[in-house]
Amino acid sequence: MDQNKYEIIPLVSLIFGFLGIVFFGGALLLILFFNLNTIIAFNSQSFIFIAIMFVFLVFFMLSLLVTVYCQGIIITDNEITVKKLNKMYSLQYAEISYCYINSGNINIGNNNKQISFPSFEYWYGKNKQQAIMLMIQALNERKIEPEISIKGLFPRIKGFNNY
Protein backbone atom coordinates (compact mmCIF):
# COMPACT_ATOMS: atom_id res chain seq x y z
CA MET A 1 0.00 0.00 0.00
CA ASP A 2 1.38 3.40 -0.96
CA GLN A 3 1.73 5.86 1.85
CA ASN A 4 1.00 9.53 1.34
CA LYS A 5 3.95 11.69 2.28
CA TYR A 6 4.07 15.47 1.97
CA GLU A 7 7.03 17.66 2.89
CA ILE A 8 6.16 21.26 3.68
CA ILE A 9 8.41 24.16 4.62
CA PRO A 10 7.32 27.25 6.58
CA LEU A 11 8.72 29.61 3.94
CA VAL A 12 7.26 32.84 5.35
CA SER A 13 8.79 32.13 8.77
CA LEU A 14 12.17 31.35 7.26
CA ILE A 15 12.19 34.48 5.09
CA PHE A 16 11.13 36.83 7.90
CA GLY A 17 13.56 35.16 10.29
CA PHE A 18 16.46 35.50 7.87
CA LEU A 19 15.61 39.13 7.06
CA GLY A 20 15.39 39.89 10.78
CA ILE A 21 18.77 38.29 11.41
CA VAL A 22 20.37 40.34 8.65
CA PHE A 23 18.66 43.63 9.56
CA PHE A 24 18.81 43.53 13.36
CA GLY A 25 22.18 41.78 13.52
CA GLY A 26 23.62 44.24 11.01
CA ALA A 27 22.18 47.23 12.86
CA LEU A 28 23.57 45.90 16.13
CA LEU A 29 27.05 45.53 14.65
CA LEU A 30 26.93 48.96 12.98
CA ILE A 31 25.88 50.69 16.19
CA LEU A 32 28.66 48.91 18.06
CA PHE A 33 31.27 49.65 15.38
CA PHE A 34 30.51 53.35 14.88
CA ASN A 35 29.86 54.17 18.54
CA LEU A 36 32.39 52.00 20.35
CA ASN A 37 34.27 54.97 21.86
CA THR A 38 31.04 56.52 23.13
CA ILE A 39 29.92 53.23 24.65
CA ILE A 40 33.30 52.68 26.32
CA ALA A 41 33.17 56.20 27.80
CA PHE A 42 30.25 54.95 29.90
CA ASN A 43 28.37 58.22 30.33
CA SER A 44 24.71 59.16 29.87
CA GLN A 45 25.02 59.00 26.07
CA SER A 46 26.46 55.46 26.35
CA PHE A 47 23.34 54.29 28.16
CA ILE A 48 21.23 55.40 25.20
CA PHE A 49 23.35 53.37 22.79
CA ILE A 50 23.36 50.39 25.15
CA ALA A 51 19.55 50.55 25.40
CA ILE A 52 19.22 50.73 21.60
CA MET A 53 21.66 47.83 21.22
CA PHE A 54 19.66 45.82 23.74
CA VAL A 55 16.44 46.35 21.74
CA PHE A 56 18.19 45.28 18.51
CA LEU A 57 19.66 42.27 20.32
CA VAL A 58 16.20 41.16 21.49
CA PHE A 59 14.79 41.42 17.95
CA PHE A 60 17.86 39.64 16.56
CA MET A 61 17.34 36.75 19.01
CA LEU A 62 13.63 36.56 18.12
CA SER A 63 14.53 36.44 14.42
CA LEU A 64 17.02 33.69 15.13
CA LEU A 65 14.36 31.77 17.05
CA VAL A 66 11.90 32.07 14.16
CA THR A 67 14.52 30.76 11.74
CA VAL A 68 15.55 27.82 13.94
CA TYR A 69 11.99 27.09 15.13
CA CYS A 70 11.05 24.82 12.25
CA GLN A 71 12.87 23.93 9.06
CA GLY A 72 10.31 21.52 7.66
CA ILE A 73 7.19 19.49 8.35
CA ILE A 74 6.56 15.99 6.98
CA ILE A 75 2.96 14.80 7.00
CA THR A 76 2.31 11.09 6.32
CA ASP A 77 -0.64 8.77 6.83
CA ASN A 78 0.80 7.60 10.17
CA GLU A 79 2.72 10.49 11.69
CA ILE A 80 3.75 14.12 11.73
CA THR A 81 7.48 14.87 11.73
CA VAL A 82 9.06 18.22 12.47
CA LYS A 83 12.57 18.87 11.16
CA LYS A 84 14.78 21.26 13.10
CA LEU A 85 18.34 22.02 12.02
CA ASN A 86 19.84 18.55 12.66
CA LYS A 87 17.05 16.75 14.52
CA MET A 88 13.72 15.24 13.59
CA TYR A 89 10.81 14.81 16.00
CA SER A 90 7.98 12.45 15.05
CA LEU A 91 4.64 11.87 16.65
CA GLN A 92 2.29 9.07 15.58
CA TYR A 93 -1.35 10.08 15.15
CA ALA A 94 -2.28 7.32 17.63
CA GLU A 95 -0.22 9.15 20.29
CA ILE A 96 -1.98 12.49 19.84
CA SER A 97 -4.62 13.44 22.39
CA TYR A 98 -4.83 17.21 21.82
CA CYS A 99 -4.23 19.87 19.19
CA TYR A 100 -3.90 23.49 20.30
CA ILE A 101 -3.69 26.38 17.86
CA ASN A 102 -2.80 29.95 18.75
CA SER A 103 -0.73 32.85 17.44
CA GLY A 104 0.57 31.05 14.36
CA ASN A 105 1.53 27.85 16.22
CA ILE A 106 0.15 24.34 16.26
CA ASN A 107 0.95 22.26 19.36
CA ILE A 108 0.01 18.59 19.21
CA GLY A 109 0.76 15.77 21.58
CA ASN A 110 -0.27 14.00 24.76
CA ASN A 111 0.75 14.20 28.42
CA ASN A 112 4.22 12.79 27.68
CA LYS A 113 5.15 14.10 24.23
CA GLN A 114 4.53 17.33 22.36
CA ILE A 115 5.70 18.92 19.14
CA SER A 116 5.08 22.41 17.84
CA PHE A 117 5.26 23.82 14.35
CA PRO A 118 4.04 26.88 12.42
CA SER A 119 0.37 27.06 11.53
CA PHE A 120 -1.06 26.29 8.09
CA GLU A 121 -0.85 29.86 6.77
CA TYR A 122 2.96 29.73 6.96
CA TRP A 123 3.30 26.47 5.03
CA TYR A 124 4.66 26.36 1.49
CA GLY A 125 4.93 23.46 -0.92
CA LYS A 126 3.37 22.07 -4.06
CA ASN A 127 1.18 19.70 -2.00
CA LYS A 128 0.29 22.11 0.79
CA GLN A 129 -3.48 21.62 0.49
CA GLN A 130 -3.19 17.81 0.41
CA ALA A 131 -0.94 17.88 3.50
CA ILE A 132 -3.41 20.06 5.39
CA MET A 133 -6.32 17.82 4.40
CA LEU A 134 -4.40 14.65 5.36
CA MET A 135 -3.52 16.04 8.79
CA ILE A 136 -7.05 17.28 9.49
CA GLN A 137 -8.55 14.00 8.28
CA ALA A 138 -6.19 11.95 10.48
CA LEU A 139 -7.03 14.09 13.52
CA ASN A 140 -10.77 13.90 12.77
CA GLU A 141 -10.58 10.07 12.54
CA ARG A 142 -9.24 10.07 16.08
CA LYS A 143 -11.89 12.61 17.17
CA ILE A 144 -9.32 15.29 18.02
CA GLU A 145 -10.68 18.78 17.50
CA PRO A 146 -8.17 21.61 17.11
CA GLU A 147 -8.78 24.10 19.92
CA ILE A 148 -7.78 27.73 20.14
CA SER A 149 -6.05 27.90 23.48
CA ILE A 150 -3.36 29.77 25.38
CA LYS A 151 -1.53 26.40 25.48
CA GLY A 152 -0.89 26.79 21.77
CA LEU A 153 0.80 30.16 22.20
CA PHE A 154 4.26 28.92 23.17
CA PRO A 155 6.15 26.55 20.86
CA ARG A 156 7.57 23.57 22.70
CA ILE A 157 9.12 20.18 22.07
CA LYS A 158 8.98 17.77 24.98
CA GLY A 159 9.23 14.07 25.73
CA PHE A 160 11.91 13.13 23.20
CA ASN A 161 15.25 11.65 24.17
CA ASN A 162 18.09 13.95 23.19
CA TYR A 163 20.92 11.75 22.04
Side-chain angles (χ1 to χ4, degrees):
M1 179 167 96
D2 285 342
Q3 180 173 320
N4 292 319
K5 181 179 179 179
Y6 305 110
E7 187 162 350
I8 307 300
I9 59 170
L11 188 64
V12 174
S13 299
L14 292 174
I15 289 172
F16 278 113
F18 181 72
L19 290 175
I21 288 170
V22 170
F23 177 75
F24 295 117
L28 185 64
L29 289 175
L30 287 174
I31 290 170
L32 182 63
F33 180 74
F34 287 116
N35 300 296
L36 187 58
N37 291 335
T38 307
I39 293 169
I40 292 174
F42 210 66
N43 54 27
S44 60
Q45 195 175 15
S46 340
F47 288 118
I48 294 170
F49 284 115
I50 291 171
I52 292 170
M53 286 176 52
F54 180 74
V55 169
F56 280 120
L57 180 65
V58 167
F59 283 111
F60 172 77
M61 296 302 285
L62 288 173
S63 299
L64 189 63
L65 176 68
V66 166
T67 305
V68 174
Y69 172 46
C70 182
Q71 300 293 315
I73 305 159
I74 301 171
I75 308 288
T76 66
D77 291 329
N78 301 323
E79 66 185 5
I80 298 174
T81 303
V82 175
K83 294 190 323 184
K84 297 195 182 262
L85 291 179
N86 61 350
K87 294 184 181 183
M88 295 178 74
Y89 301 97
S90 296
L91 199 59
Q92 300 282 325
Y93 288 116
E95 297 177 291
I96 299 172
S97 62
Y98 62 79
C99 177
Y100 298 124
I101 299 173
N102 196 344
S103 185
N105 294 322
I106 298 176
N107 290 349
I108 59 171
N110 56 36
N111 291 336
N112 300 320
K113 284 183 168 181
Q114 176 181 332
I115 59 175
S116 301
F117 48 91
S119 190
F120 304 125
E121 60 266 14
Y122 299 106
W123 292 12
Y124 178 79
K126 62 181 177 182
N127 296 323
K128 172 185 169 180
Q129 293 301 323
Q130 291 92 339
I132 293 170
M133 295 306 295
L134 178 62
M135 182 180 151
I136 290 172
Q137 178 185 355
L139 291 174
N140 284 342
E141 286 174 1
R142 286 150 186 86
K143 296 182 179 25
I144 299 168
E145 283 292 320
E147 300 176 36
I148 296 175
S149 170
I150 191 84
K151 295 177 184 176
L153 184 61
F154 304 104
R156 185 171 176 209
I157 302 260
K158 77 171 190 177
F160 294 90
N161 295 330
N162 293 325
Y163 296 109

